[in-house]
Amino acid sequence: MSGNTKAKSGSKFNLIKNQGQVIEKRILPRFPFSFMAFKLGNVSSSKIFEVRDLSLRGAHIALKDGGVPFLKGEQLDGHIVWKGKKVAILGKVIWVRGQSLGLEFCSTPTLENDLMELLSLENVAADFRPLHENPLQTDLPSNLKYWLKADGPAEVFVWQHNDGELARFQFLFLDHFVEWEDGRGIKTGRMVNVRDIETPLAPEDEFMFEMDGEADHHKISIACKMMDRIPHNYIPENTTHFLRMKLSATC
C-alpha cells in the first residue's frame, strides 16, 4: 500500500442539518486487507467479497480482482463469513465504484442478534492486530502513535502531539464512534458514510459521523470494555492507563 498520502490528523468540518444534527468528517488511515468475507448464496458463483467495513445496517465489500458485476438497486443473497462462522445476509446494492460496493442490509427478525453474536467484543478483541508495528512496511500517518485493527468492525487510533504527548484517541466499533481530544474532551457519534478518497486501496478514507448532542454512555461503555480486552503487549501500560482515565468518568 502506498504511503505517499499522509492522513490529515485532526482534519474535520461540521455541517448543521435542518434537524439540528451535526455531521463531522475525519480522515483516517485504512488497512486494505481483511479476512472477513461476503460469499454469495449461489453455490455456482465463485465471487467472494472482502468485507472492508461493517455495521448492523450494511457493509462496504470489495472484490480483489475485476470489477463488480452488480448494479445499484440489485439485491444480493449470501453470508458474511468470519472465523469459521457465518451470518445469512440479504442486502440491496446502494452504490458501486470500481471493485467496491455498498450493501444495505434488509432487516430480518434475527439479523442484528446474529451479527452481534458473531461480532462480540471477545471475538473482535481477539482479532486485533497492532498495525503500528508496521508488519507490511506501511507508511503510517504523521503523529499516529498506535493503531489497532480487527477485521471489519473495530479499530483503535491513538495520536500524539509533536512533543510526544497524547493528543487524541478514537474507537470505532461497528458504526459506533468514540473520540477524546486534548482540550475538547469526549465526543461520541455514529458512522453514516465512508467514502474512499482515491481508490478502494487508498491509504486514507474520509469518514462522516453524525455526532451525538451529548456523549452517549453506551458507546463509551463499549470503548471501556474494548480497552479491557486489548492484549497488554499491543499498547504500553502508561498509554492504556491514560485512555482508561479519560473514559473512566462514564465507564
Side-chain angles (χ1 to χ4, degrees), residues 184-235:
R184 294 178 180 268
I186 292 281
K187 301 173 74 172
T188 64
R190 179 177 69 88
M191 186 191 305
V192 293
N193 176 263
V194 179
R195 183 184 69 80
D196 293 336
I197 290 178
E198 297 174 2
T199 71
L201 295 182
E204 299 170 332
D205 272 357
E206 179 181 281
F207 288 72
M208 306 299 291
F209 297 99
E210 180 183 293
M211 305 306 293
D212 299 318
E214 296 182 358
D216 186 319
H217 289 196
H218 174 65
K219 295 185 179 83
I220 295 172
S221 175
I222 290 174
C224 292
K225 293 174 182 177
M226 191 182 298
M227 276 297 309
D228 291 339
R229 290 164 173 81
I230 291 174
H232 298 302
N233 58 325
Y234 283 1
I235 298 180

Side-chain angles (χ1 to χ4, degrees), residues 65-112:
D65 300 305
V68 174
F70 301 105
L71 300 175
K72 182 178 177 180
E74 287 192 65
Q75 281 198 335
L76 300 186
D77 184 2
H79 293 85
I80 287 180
V81 181
W82 192 48
K83 294 189 169 186
K85 299 181 179 179
K86 61 183 181 181
V87 173
I89 295 292
L90 178 64
K92 179 181 178 182
V93 178
I94 56 174
W95 56 261
V96 178
R97 291 192 301 272
Q99 296 170 296
S100 296
L101 62 82
L103 195 62
E104 182 179 63
F105 299 153
C106 300
S107 179
T108 69
T110 63
L111 177 58
E112 183 171 338

Side-chain angles (χ1 to χ4, degrees), residues 146-208:
Y146 303 110
W147 177 14
L148 304 182
K149 167 70 176 170
D151 282 334
E155 292 187 80
V156 180
F157 300 95
V158 181
W159 306 81
Q160 62 182 356
H161 292 296
N162 291 334
D163 62 5
E165 294 294 320
L166 294 187
R168 183 172 63 262
F169 61 78
Q170 294 140 335
F171 289 82
L172 296 177
F173 179 67
L174 294 171
D175 59 355
H176 295 334
F177 176 64
V178 176
E179 177 181 67
W180 172 86
E181 186 172 1
D182 190 14
R184 294 178 180 268
I186 292 281
K187 301 173 74 172
T188 64
R190 179 177 69 88
M191 186 191 305
V192 293
N193 176 263
V194 179
R195 183 184 69 80
D196 293 336
I197 290 178
E198 297 174 2
T199 71
L201 295 182
E204 299 170 332
D205 272 357
E206 179 181 281
F207 288 72
M208 306 299 291

Side-chain angles (χ1 to χ4, degrees), residues 132-152:
H132 53 273
E133 294 182 356
N134 216 13
L136 297 180
Q137 300 303 309
T138 302
D139 189 4
L140 295 181
S142 174
N143 292 334
L144 179 59
K145 182 67 174 176
Y146 303 110
W147 177 14
L148 304 182
K149 167 70 176 170
D151 282 334

Side-chain angles (χ1 to χ4, degrees), residues 14-23 190 209-211:
N14 295 342
L15 298 176
I16 307 301
K17 289 185 174 181
N18 292 334
Q19 298 90 340
Q21 297 164 321
V22 177
I23 303 296
R190 179 177 69 88
F209 297 99
E210 180 183 293
M211 305 306 293

